[in-house]
Amino acid sequence: MAKIILQKGKEKKIQNFYPNVFKDEVKNIIGKIENGDVVDVCAEDMTFVGRGYVTDSTSAYVRVLTTKDEKIDKDFILNKIRSAYKKREHLYNETNCIRAFFSEGDGIPGLIIDKFDKYVAVQFRNSGVERFRQEIINAIKKVMKPKGIYERSDVENRTHEGVEQKTGIIFGEIPERVIMEDNGLKYGIDIIDGQKTGFFLDQRDSRKFIRKYLNKDTRFLDVFSSSGGFSMAALKENCKKVVAIDKEPHALELCRENYELNGFEGNYTTMEGDAFLLLKTLVGREEKYDVITLDPPSLIKRKADIHKGRDFFFDLCDDSFKLLEDGGILGVITCAYHISLQDLIEVTRMAASKNGKLLQVIGINYQPEDHPWILHVPETLYLKALWVRIINS
């Protein structure tokens, strides 16, 4: 097995449970390595530090799987997946769909497993997990006993590491729709063509949070709606007007399906197109809303783009404050790791000040527990939701 020798002192963060080794932390390489190979990570004095796989085309050079001198084999994979699944068993009291495995949060960087009722969507995000493809599939079958497994490895990162993108049925069968039950609502999940692995499971807590502020007089605007998670929550509380905005026709089609699935009779409409432009259109019409959610896709992928991301959010908030009534509520949400909660707070405050709005923070949400946030691994905290209410104008 090849060895990665670290610069002096760089072993300490690995010993403190941080799993990423970066190129500039490597002093020497002993042996031949390729993307996906399992290697030993050693301190400068050749002391064993950990074991993981090489992902040469990403920001992290080695993804550490263990700090113990143990084999990375089918038993290792099975134990990781079984442990992660067991921790989530209690969540089935709330929903029949969970994230069953969350990359670094569960100890195998690059592996995503979502369980939608009796079906599983799996994503092998890098060359390392690709090497353990069959071991992972076998473990999923043994632990979760699904009727079908579908692969959604259609991520750009694989191409960067010399691994082709893949989608398709791995095992069993996958229905056209799986029905998710979540906090008294039903959602039709499209595992094959839906966004990400089929649905944004990480918004469960935020969908639940906002419902207590909604009633029959609420006018609700769901921006970047995807398949209508927030929209359906609003309709469940009998909001008198709900508008969903998304640029993807298929997402809006799923919105309408979910509307019918739940038997709603409220005033529900969709708007297809660029959210930035459509918000300005609504401003031009002088429309007014009581609650607006801004839940864009990850607007930035790199730390260098933070300023661009802040500008995007400022523009979204600026237009939203023009649309909100006094006393209105704005939810500003990011799934971009590089945009911090403090970034959201600052741009929201600046946009509010520009519009003469005084804000009260009514809540802050993060991702739910089936997307574990590990304190030692900052990258595992990616979802932040800031909820504010206008208290003066």
Side-chain angles (χ1 to χ4, degrees):
M1 185 180 297
K3 298 183 185 299
I4 303 294
I5 315 303
L6 300 178
Q7 301 278 359
K8 184 177 180 179
K10 296 300 181 182
E11 73 280 1
K12 293 180 181 178
K13 69 172 190 176
I14 306 301
Q15 293 166 341
N16 289 325
F17 308 109
Y18 185 73
N20 295 332
V21 175
F22 300 99
K23 280 189 176 182
D24 61 1
E25 297 171 332
V26 176
K27 180 178 181 179
N28 193 19
I29 300 173
I30 299 177
K32 184 180 178 181
I33 59 173
E34 295 181 355
N35 274 341
D37 285 352
V38 174
V39 298
D40 279 350
V41 179
C42 301
E44 187 183 39
D45 63 1
M46 297 299 293
T47 304
F48 176 84
V49 175
R51 185 165 290 148
Y53 40 65
V54 176
T55 55
D56 190 19
S57 296
T58 65
S59 58
Y61 188 57
V62 180
R63 309 275 189 165
V64 176
L65 296 166
T66 181
T67 55
K68 300 175 183 178
D69 187 4
E70 60 183 324
K71 288 184 68 174
I72 309 300
D73 58 11
K74 64 179 182 179
D75 291 330
F76 178 90
I77 298 294
L78 176 62
N79 289 335
K80 287 286 188 183
I81 291 175
R82 179 186 286 133
S83 175
Y85 192 61
K86 188 173 180 61
K87 291 174 186 175
R88 293 157 165 83
E89 286 180 334
H90 65 285
L91 293 176
Y92 280 112
N93 294 326
E94 303 173 16
T95 179
N96 63 337
C97 298
I98 61 169
R99 173 144 294 180
F101 201 96
F102 179 52
S103 195
E104 289 92 342
D106 287 304
I108 303 180
L111 175 62
I112 300 293
I113 305 172
D114 285 342
K115 187 168 186 289
F116 298 107
D117 196 24
K118 297 178 176 63
Y119 303 90
V120 165
V122 61
Q123 196 171 74
F124 304 93
R125 296 184 63 87
N126 60 42
S127 54
V129 288
E130 181 67 25
R131 293 288 184 95
F132 292 94
R133 159 184 287 270
Q134 196 56 52
E135 290 87 344
I136 290 167
I137 293 169
N138 290 343
I140 292 172
K141 290 179 182 178
K142 187 169 186 177
V143 173
M144 301 178 199
K145 299 178 174 55
K147 287 186 175 181
I149 303 174
Y150 194 85
E151 180 173 7
R152 286 296 303 265
S153 301
D154 45 352
V155 291
E156 187 177 353
N157 189 65
R158 285 173 61 94
T159 306
H160 292 163
E161 295 187 27
V163 185
E164 66 176 350
Q165 297 184 27
K166 293 180 181 179
T167 60
I169 295 176
I170 292 175
F171 163 75
E173 61 180 13
I174 299 295
E176 184 177 352
R177 296 287 186 272
V178 177
I179 304 303
M180 181 178 87
E181 297 177 1
D182 179 70
N183 289 309
L185 284 160
K186 294 180 180 180
Y187 297 92
I189 309 299
D190 184 351
I191 295 176
I192 296 173
D193 293 318
Q195 295 177 343
K196 299 295 184 180
T197 59
F199 191 78
F200 290 97
L201 295 172
D202 52 8
Q203 290 290 11
R204 183 187 309 118
D205 290 350
S206 285
R207 291 193 300 268
K208 184 177 181 180
F209 170 84
I210 193 57
R211 282 174 60 176
K212 62 178 175 281
Y213 295 97
L214 310 178
N215 56 55
K216 63 181 178 59
D217 296 319
T218 303
R219 294 159 296 178
F220 192 99
L221 180 60
D222 183 6
V223 187
F224 305 100
S225 67
S226 184
S227 56
F230 285 110
S231 295
M232 298 308 127
L235 288 162
K236 183 68 174 178
E237 300 302 323
N238 298 310
C239 291
K240 72 175 183 181
K241 178 180 180 180
V242 178
V243 179
I245 291 177
D246 203 278
K247 69 176 182 179
E248 297 292 339
H250 185 56
L252 295 178
E253 178 186 338
L254 287 171
C255 277
R256 292 185 284 269
E257 286 185 18
N258 289 332
Y259 175 87
E260 294 174 2
L261 180 64
N262 286 278
F264 290 133
E265 297 179 354
N267 181 8
Y268 178 63
T269 57
T270 61
M271 297 180 68
E272 179 186 334
D274 183 281
F276 291 87
L277 298 178
L278 289 177
L279 279 176
K280 294 189 182 303
T281 298
L282 295 177
V283 171
R285 294 178 188 170
E286 298 185 349
E287 292 200 15
K288 289 295 180 181
Y289 293 88
D290 303 292
V291 178
I292 299 176
T293 54
L294 302 174
D295 183 21
S298 183
L299 295 173
I300 66 167
K301 304 292 185 183
R302 305 177 303 158
K303 187 176 181 180
D305 293 331
I306 288 177
H307 292 296
K308 183 194 299 183
R310 285 169 58 101
D311 289 344
F312 284 147
F313 274 104
F314 179 86
D315 290 342
L316 291 170
C317 290
D318 183 24
D319 285 332
S320 295
F321 285 125
K322 292 177 171 62
L323 293 168
L324 279 169
E325 288 280 16
D326 291 346
I329 292 172
L330 178 64
V332 189
I333 306 166
T334 181
C335 60
Y337 160 67
H338 293 295
I339 295 289
S340 68
L341 175 62
Q342 192 58 41
D343 289 323
L344 288 188
I345 290 171
E346 289 182 6
V347 296
T348 304
R349 174 183 53 78
M350 289 189 293
S353 295
K354 177 185 173 184
N355 287 276
K357 308 295 183 183
L358 179 64
L359 301 181
Q360 172 196 359
V361 175
I362 60 172
I364 294 172
N365 298 135
Y366 301 103
Q367 67 235 37
E369 63 175 294
D370 55 340
H371 298 66
W373 169 17
I374 307 301
L375 282 180
H376 309 269
V377 189
E379 292 89 340
T380 58
L381 172 59
Y382 70 98
L383 186 70
K384 287 82 62 174
L386 173 67
W387 298 94
V388 296
R389 175 163 47 199
I390 299 170
I391 58 174
N392 188 31
S393 61

